[in-house]
DNA sequence: GTCTTGTTTGACCATTTGGTCAGAAATTCC
DNA sequence: GGAATTTCTGACCAAATGGTCAAACAAGAC
């Protein structure tokens, strides 16, 4: 799975003063006089490989569970070489988190205040479910981080995410107030959508243990149908 | 939080042959000729302390993230002393998992085929939500384990849990077939209930980051209300 | 080609970690 | 009280882990 790390390649490398260490890549952090040099092709290629491998390693075992050796192997290089590109395990971890975060938040940003409420919410549910299916590692990466107290994501939760959710909560509340939706707490509706969709990525082993390995497509289709039914009609038949 | 480990205290300690190592506690494993000695008060007290502390440590950082030193500190004793009672970190971890598992499965077992469907499902939802509130560490312990591939719980998922879920799925399917519930996939309804309720324990940092630390009671009340509304009526108003 | 810069590696190091062990201290049994 | 057993601890160990470094090697610029 080739990713699009390219546009995200910045400040990952140690810069400091060192003579042999390259580079400050384009993007940020040019406060001091060091003139940023352009990233070489090799740098871009290797950082991509590293980030790519690191996502699956970190998603599998969390930050503490991952070893630098594993990370290097996943990137197909030696440990010192990996540490040439990312000065520490933590730096790498943060870089991966940062990258994945954007994708993670995107669907919620798409929620359109002017659209039809039911349609908007179903779309959001489907988009999140599709992310669980196509990029389960993203979801597991965050699940690990949050489950263990979000030591490095805490700031984001309090900042960007909080704003975004507040904003969308207002939209949902409006839909309730105008009678377009039943009266529910907007925040809990959002949690509800997160929980039900991410469950399929985060608890995939459990899901497949109960439903069988082979029926992955069917699993996600059935999940979408069930969620749609519940969201639109609830469990009780309308007489 | 004092727990009821007592009835679970069994075979935790190394037994083998050793002269100074005690004990095979009551419960199981008496296959060989070694006559089981009764657990002393000290053993019971200390094993309780250890298991008690271990639950919160493992829930916080997962198996790999927890160190034996932390575990010992949480139990208020030295590392070698802890290892006197549980011969390895893994043994201790499995013991904690085993214990917590029972509580975890209990609510689903209560689901009554002869009860009113809506009431049964709401009760189950409330019971699980209450568990998330009162025993979040239980939930996080499993979340960590499953998220990381359930290396030690895999057998349970394929065995006991699978049976239990199959059994309850039949009940739910029957409710659907007789028109008492809208037609939904029973498995996904169960996942839905797990996901939405456990979310509040597993992602507590996120939830409190967005809703505020102080309103814990309110959070769970609102969650229950929202879930009830959605489950019973869905989001769309009935005209 | 050669000089400069960027990349890669084997060997190495300090710390942390899971776990052991011999014996000291406490407890129980008679 | 004294012997036998159980509980506890400081000192220790081997393996794993995050990270460093000097030097070898490759790429570009001219």
């Amino acid at each position: 799975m080739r990713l699009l790390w390219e546009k995200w390649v910045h400040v990952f490398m140690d810069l400091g003063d060192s003579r042999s260490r390259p580079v400050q890549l384009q993007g940020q952090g040019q406060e001091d006089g060091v003139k940023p040099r352009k990233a070489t092709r090799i740098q871009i290629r290797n950082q991509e490989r590293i980030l790519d491998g690191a996502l699956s390693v970190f998603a599998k075992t969390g930050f503490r569970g991952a070893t630098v050796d594993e990370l290097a192997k996943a990137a197909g290089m030696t440990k010192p070489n990996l540490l040439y590109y990312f000065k520490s395990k933590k730096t790498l971890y943060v870089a991966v988190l940062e990258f994945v975060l954007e994708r993670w938040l995107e669907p919620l940003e798409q929620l359109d205040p002017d659209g039809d409420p039911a349609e908007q919410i179903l779309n959001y549910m489907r988009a999140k479910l599709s992310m669980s299916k196509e990029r389960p590692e993203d979801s597991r990466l965050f699940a690990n981080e949050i489950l263990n107290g979000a030591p490095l994501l805490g700031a984001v939760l309090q900042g960007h995410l909080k704003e975004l959710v507040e904003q969308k909560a207002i939209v949902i509340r409006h839909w309730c107030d105008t009678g377009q939706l039943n009266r529910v707490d907007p925040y809990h509706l959002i949690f509800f959508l997160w929980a039900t969709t991410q469950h399929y990525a985060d608890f995939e082993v459990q899901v497949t243990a109960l439903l069988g390995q082979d029926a992955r497509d069917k699993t996600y289709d059935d999940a979408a149908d069930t969620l749609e039914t519940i969201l639109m009609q609830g469990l009780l038949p309308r007489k």
Side-chain angles (χ1 to χ4, degrees), chain A:
Chain A
M1 163 189 46
R2 189 79 310 194
L3 293 180
L4 320 159
W5 301 104
E6 292 154 82
K7 57 178 213 175
W8 269 86
V9 166
H10 58 205
V11 209
F12 293 149
M13 301 178 75
D14 181 20
L15 15 129
D17 59 341
S18 68
R19 63 281 104 193
S20 86
R21 275 291 176 69
V23 166
Q24 159 130 22
L25 302 182
Q26 75 276 39
Q28 50 173 266
Q30 305 88 328
E31 309 82 8
D32 46 4
V34 190
K35 71 174 156 199
R37 220 157 288 169
K38 225 177 65 182
T40 69
R41 268 168 311 169
I42 297 185
Q43 275 167 35
I44 291 175
R45 168 173 56 84
N46 281 351
Q47 290 184 352
E48 262 186 44
R49 282 187 190 166
I50 295 171
L51 290 163
D52 207 19
L55 170 58
S56 51
V57 174
F58 282 132
K60 202 173 300 169
T61 50
F63 177 71
R64 292 181 78 166
T67 76
V68 180
D69 275 309
E70 278 175 318
L71 291 165
K73 207 168 117 190
M77 61 182 66
T78 63
K79 181 167 66 163
N81 203 15
L82 182 146
L83 287 168
Y84 170 70
Y85 288 100
F86 292 83
K87 74 174 183 199
S88 74
K89 182 180 154 185
K90 191 168 162 178
T91 308
L92 173 55
Y93 181 65
V94 171
V96 177
L97 271 184
E98 253 182 59
F99 173 77
V100 172
L101 185 63
E102 188 176 281
R103 274 217 152 23
W104 204 52
L105 292 184
E106 203 193 295
L108 185 53
E109 272 154 5
Q110 305 285 324
L111 195 85
D112 180 6
D114 300 322
D116 173 63
E119 192 185 324
Q120 287 301 308
I121 287 175
L122 284 184
N123 277 350
Y124 180 57
M125 179 271 282
R126 290 198 197 100
K128 290 288 284 178
L129 205 51
S130 160
M131 278 191 48
S132 275
K133 185 181 180 188
E134 305 303 330
R135 311 196 57 77
E137 287 172 338
D138 289 17
S139 189
R140 276 177 226 139
L141 182 78
F142 284 113
N144 258 308
E145 169 72 5
I146 293 173
L147 191 50
N148 298 337
L152 293 166
L153 216 62
V156 176
L157 298 183
Q158 308 276 347
H160 184 141
L161 179 65
K162 189 166 183 173
E163 261 176 54
L164 177 61
V165 171
E166 261 167 24
Q167 183 192 322
K168 297 305 179 181
I170 292 175
V171 173
I172 294 173
R173 179 164 291 127
H174 175 73
W175 288 339
C176 296
D177 286 346
T178 54
Q180 298 175 273
L181 294 182
N182 281 327
R183 183 156 292 285
V184 290
D185 185 297
Y187 284 92
H188 290 279
L189 175 56
I190 291 171
F191 294 158
F192 168 101
L193 292 164
W194 287 349
T196 49
T197 54
Q198 290 169 18
H199 184 86
Y200 290 91
D202 301 344
F203 293 75
E204 186 171 302
V205 253
Q206 194 180 54
V207 170
T208 61
L210 296 177
L211 294 184
Q213 327 277 6
D214 17 284
R216 208 176 128 87
D217 285 343
K218 182 174 178 337
T219 294
Y220 280 92
D221 289 345
D222 290 352
D225 289 346
T226 301
L227 282 173
E228 179 171 339
T229 301
I230 295 177
L231 279 169
M232 292 299 103
Q233 311 175 42
L235 286 176
L236 295 186
R238 314 202 162 194
K239 300 148 200 160

Coordinates of all heavy atoms in Angstrom, one line a residue, chain A residues 183-221:
Chain A
R183 N -34.9 14.4 18.8 CA -34.1 15.1 19.8 C -33.0 14.2 20.4 O -33.3 13.3 21.2 CB -35.0 15.7 20.8 CG -34.3 16.6 21.9 CD -35.2 17.6 22.5 NE -35.6 18.6 21.6 CZ -34.9 19.6 21.2 NH1 -33.6 19.7 21.6 NH2 -35.3 20.5 20.3
V184 N -31.8 14.4 20.0 CA -30.7 13.6 20.5 C -29.5 14.6 20.9 O -29.5 15.7 20.3 CB -30.1 12.5 19.6 CG1 -31.1 11.4 19.4 CG2 -29.7 13.1 18.3
D185 N -28.7 14.2 21.8 CA -27.5 15.0 22.1 C -26.5 14.9 20.9 O -26.1 13.8 20.6 CB -26.9 14.5 23.4 CG -25.7 15.4 23.8 OD1 -24.7 15.5 23.1 OD2 -25.8 16.0 24.9
P186 N -26.2 16.0 20.3 CA -25.3 16.0 19.2 C -23.9 15.3 19.4 O -23.5 14.5 18.6 CB -25.1 17.4 18.8 CG -26.1 18.2 19.6 CD -26.5 17.4 20.7
Y187 N -23.4 15.6 20.6 CA -22.1 15.0 20.9 C -22.2 13.5 20.9 O -21.4 12.7 20.4 CB -21.5 15.5 22.2 CG -21.0 16.9 22.1 CD1 -21.8 18.0 22.3 CD2 -19.7 17.1 21.7 CE1 -21.2 19.3 22.2 CE2 -19.1 18.3 21.6 CZ -19.9 19.4 21.9 OH -19.4 20.7 21.7
H188 N -23.2 13.0 21.6 CA -23.4 11.6 21.7 C -23.7 10.9 20.4 O -23.3 9.8 20.2 CB -24.4 11.2 22.8 CG -23.8 11.6 24.2 ND1 -23.0 10.7 24.9 CD2 -24.0 12.7 25.0 CE1 -22.7 11.3 26.1 NE2 -23.3 12.5 26.1
L189 N -24.4 11.6 19.6 CA -24.6 11.1 18.2 C -23.3 10.9 17.5 O -23.1 9.9 16.8 CB -25.6 12.0 17.4 CG -25.8 11.6 16.0 CD1 -26.3 10.2 15.9 CD2 -26.8 12.6 15.3
I190 N -22.4 11.9 17.6 CA -21.1 11.8 17.0 C -20.3 10.6 17.6 O -19.8 9.8 16.9 CB -20.4 13.1 17.1 CG1 -21.0 14.2 16.3 CG2 -18.9 12.9 16.7 CD1 -20.5 15.6 16.5
F191 N -20.3 10.5 18.9 CA -19.6 9.4 19.5 C -20.2 8.1 19.0 O -19.5 7.1 18.7 CB -19.8 9.4 21.0 CG -19.1 10.6 21.7 CD1 -19.6 11.0 22.9 CD2 -18.1 11.2 21.1 CE1 -18.9 12.1 23.6 CE2 -17.5 12.3 21.7 CZ -17.9 12.7 22.9
F192 N -21.5 8.0 18.9 CA -22.2 6.9 18.4 C -21.7 6.5 17.0 O -21.4 5.3 16.8 CB -23.7 7.2 18.3 CG -24.6 6.3 17.6 CD1 -25.3 5.4 18.3 CD2 -24.6 6.3 16.2 CE1 -26.1 4.5 17.6 CE2 -25.4 5.4 15.5 CZ -26.2 4.5 16.2
L193 N -21.6 7.5 16.2 CA -21.1 7.2 14.8 C -19.6 6.7 14.8 O -19.3 5.8 14.1 CB -21.3 8.4 13.9 CG -22.8 8.7 13.6 CD1 -23.0 10.1 13.1 CD2 -23.4 7.7 12.7
W194 N -18.8 7.4 15.6 CA -17.4 7.0 15.7 C -17.3 5.5 16.2 O -16.7 4.7 15.6 CB -16.7 7.9 16.7 CG -16.4 9.2 16.1 CD1 -16.5 9.7 14.9 CD2 -15.9 10.4 16.9 NE1 -16.2 11.0 14.8 CE2 -15.8 11.4 16.0 CE3 -15.5 10.5 18.2 CZ2 -15.3 12.7 16.4 CZ3 -15.1 11.8 18.6 CH2 -14.9 12.8 17.7
A195 N -18.0 5.3 17.3 CA -17.9 4.0 17.9 C -18.3 2.9 17.0 O -17.6 1.9 16.8 CB -18.8 4.0 19.2
T196 N -19.5 3.0 16.4 CA -20.0 1.9 15.6 C -19.2 1.7 14.3 O -19.1 0.5 13.9 CB -21.5 2.2 15.2 OG1 -21.6 3.5 14.6 CG2 -22.4 2.1 16.3
T197 N -18.6 2.7 13.8 CA -17.9 2.5 12.5 C -16.4 2.0 12.8 O -15.9 1.1 12.2 CB -17.8 3.8 11.7 OG1 -17.4 4.9 12.5 CG2 -19.2 4.1 11.2
Q198 N -15.8 2.7 13.8 CA -14.4 2.3 14.1 C -14.3 0.9 14.7 O -13.3 0.3 14.6 CB -13.8 3.4 15.0 CG -13.6 4.7 14.3 CD -13.2 5.8 15.2 OE1 -12.8 5.6 16.4 NE2 -13.3 7.0 14.8
H199 N -15.4 0.5 15.3 CA -15.4 -0.8 16.0 C -14.9 -1.9 15.0 O -14.2 -2.8 15.4 CB -16.8 -1.1 16.4 CG -16.9 -2.4 17.1 ND1 -16.7 -2.6 18.5 CD2 -17.2 -3.7 16.7 CE1 -16.9 -3.8 18.8 NE2 -17.2 -4.5 17.8
Y200 N -15.3 -1.8 13.7 CA -14.9 -2.8 12.8 C -13.5 -2.8 12.4 O -12.9 -3.9 12.1 CB -15.8 -2.7 11.5 CG -17.2 -3.0 11.8 CD1 -18.1 -2.0 12.2 CD2 -17.7 -4.3 11.7 CE1 -19.5 -2.4 12.5 CE2 -19.0 -4.7 12.0 CZ -19.9 -3.7 12.4 OH -21.1 -4.0 12.7
A201 N -12.8 -1.7 12.6 CA -11.3 -1.7 12.4 C -10.6 -2.1 13.7 O -9.8 -3.0 13.7 CB -10.9 -0.4 11.9
D202 N -11.0 -1.4 14.8 CA -10.3 -1.6 16.0 C -10.4 -3.0 16.6 O -9.5 -3.6 17.1 CB -10.8 -0.6 17.1 CG -10.6 0.8 16.6 OD1 -9.8 1.0 15.6 OD2 -11.2 1.7 17.2
F203 N -11.6 -3.6 16.4 CA -11.9 -4.9 17.0 C -12.0 -6.0 15.9 O -12.7 -7.0 16.1 CB -13.1 -4.9 17.9 CG -13.0 -4.0 19.1 CD1 -13.0 -2.7 19.0 CD2 -12.8 -4.6 20.3 CE1 -12.8 -1.9 20.1 CE2 -12.6 -3.9 21.5 CZ -12.6 -2.5 21.4
E204 N -11.3 -5.7 14.9 CA -11.4 -6.6 13.7 C -11.2 -8.1 14.1 O -11.9 -9.0 13.6 CB -10.4 -6.2 12.6 CG -10.5 -7.0 11.3 CD -9.7 -6.5 10.2 OE1 -9.9 -5.3 9.8 OE2 -8.8 -7.2 9.7
V205 N -10.2 -8.4 14.9 CA -10.0 -9.8 15.3 C -11.2 -10.4 15.9 O -11.6 -11.6 15.6 CB -8.8 -10.0 16.3 CG1 -7.6 -10.6 15.7 CG2 -8.5 -8.7 17.1
Q206 N -11.9 -9.6 16.7 CA -13.1 -10.1 17.4 C -14.2 -10.3 16.3 O -14.8 -11.4 16.3 CB -13.5 -9.2 18.4 CG -14.6 -9.8 19.4 CD -15.0 -8.8 20.4 OE1 -15.5 -7.7 20.1 NE2 -14.9 -9.2 21.7
V207 N -14.4 -9.3 15.5 CA -15.4 -9.4 14.5 C -15.2 -10.6 13.6 O -16.1 -11.4 13.3 CB -15.5 -8.1 13.6 CG1 -16.4 -8.3 12.4 CG2 -15.9 -7.0 14.5
T208 N -14.0 -10.8 13.1 CA -13.7 -11.9 12.2 C -13.8 -13.3 13.0 O -14.1 -14.3 12.4 CB -12.4 -11.8 11.5 OG1 -11.3 -11.8 12.4 CG2 -12.4 -10.6 10.6
A209 N -13.4 -13.2 14.2 CA -13.5 -14.5 15.0 C -15.0 -14.9 15.1 O -15.3 -16.1 15.1 CB -13.0 -14.3 16.4
L210 N -15.9 -13.9 15.1 CA -17.3 -14.3 15.2 C -18.0 -14.5 13.9 O -19.0 -15.2 13.8 CB -18.0 -13.2 16.1 CG -17.5 -13.1 17.5 CD1 -18.2 -12.0 18.2 CD2 -17.7 -14.4 18.2
L211 N -17.5 -13.8 12.9 CA -18.2 -13.8 11.6 C -17.5 -14.6 10.5 O -18.0 -14.9 9.5 CB -18.5 -12.4 11.0 CG -19.4 -11.5 11.8 CD1 -19.6 -10.2 11.1 CD2 -20.8 -12.2 12.0
G212 N -16.2 -15.0 10.8 CA -15.5 -15.7 9.8 C -14.5 -14.8 9.0 O -14.9 -13.6 8.8
Q213 N -13.4 -15.3 8.6 CA -12.4 -14.5 8.0 C -12.8 -14.0 6.6 O -12.4 -12.9 6.2 CB -11.1 -15.3 7.8 CG -10.8 -16.3 8.9 CD -10.2 -15.7 10.1 OE1 -10.0 -14.5 10.2 NE2 -9.8 -16.5 11.1
D214 N -13.4 -14.9 5.9 CA -13.6 -14.8 4.5 C -14.5 -13.7 4.0 O -14.3 -13.0 3.0 CB -14.0 -16.1 3.9 CG -14.6 -17.0 4.9 OD1 -13.8 -17.5 5.7 OD2 -15.8 -17.1 5.1
A215 N -15.5 -13.4 4.9 CA -16.6 -12.6 4.4 C -16.4 -11.1 4.7 O -17.4 -10.4 5.1 CB -17.9 -13.1 5.1
R216 N -15.2 -10.6 4.5 CA -15.0 -9.2 4.8 C -15.9 -8.2 4.1 O -16.5 -7.4 4.7 CB -13.5 -8.9 4.5 CG -12.9 -7.8 5.3 CD -11.4 -7.6 5.0 NE -11.1 -6.2 4.7 CZ -10.8 -5.3 5.7 NH1 -10.8 -5.7 6.9 NH2 -10.6 -4.1 5.3
D217 N -16.1 -8.4 2.8 CA -17.0 -7.5 2.1 C -18.4 -7.6 2.6 O -19.0 -6.5 2.9 CB -17.0 -7.9 0.6 CG -15.7 -7.5 -0.1 OD1 -15.0 -6.6 0.4 OD2 -15.5 -8.0 -1.2
K218 N -18.8 -8.8 2.8 CA -20.2 -8.9 3.3 C -20.3 -8.3 4.7 O -21.3 -7.6 5.0 CB -20.5 -10.4 3.4 CG -21.9 -10.7 3.9 CD -22.3 -12.2 3.8 CE -23.7 -12.6 4.3 NZ -24.3 -11.7 5.2
T219 N -19.3 -8.5 5.5 CA -19.4 -7.9 6.9 C -19.6 -6.4 6.8 O -20.5 -5.9 7.5 CB -18.0 -8.2 7.6 OG1 -17.9 -9.6 7.8 CG2 -18.0 -7.5 8.9
Y220 N -18.9 -5.7 5.9 CA -19.0 -4.3 5.9 C -20.4 -3.9 5.3 O -21.0 -2.9 5.7 CB -17.8 -3.6 5.2 CG -16.7 -3.5 6.1 CD1 -15.7 -4.5 6.2 CD2 -16.5 -2.4 7.0 CE1 -14.6 -4.4 7.1 CE2 -15.5 -2.3 7.8 CZ -14.5 -3.3 7.9 OH -13.5 -3.1 8.8
D221 N -20.8 -4.7 4.3 CA -22.1 -4.4 3.7 C -23.2 -4.5 4.8 O -24.1 -3.7 4.9 CB -22.4 -5.3 2.5 CG -21.5 -5.0 1.3 OD1 -20.9 -3.8 1.3 OD2 -21.4 -5.8 0.4

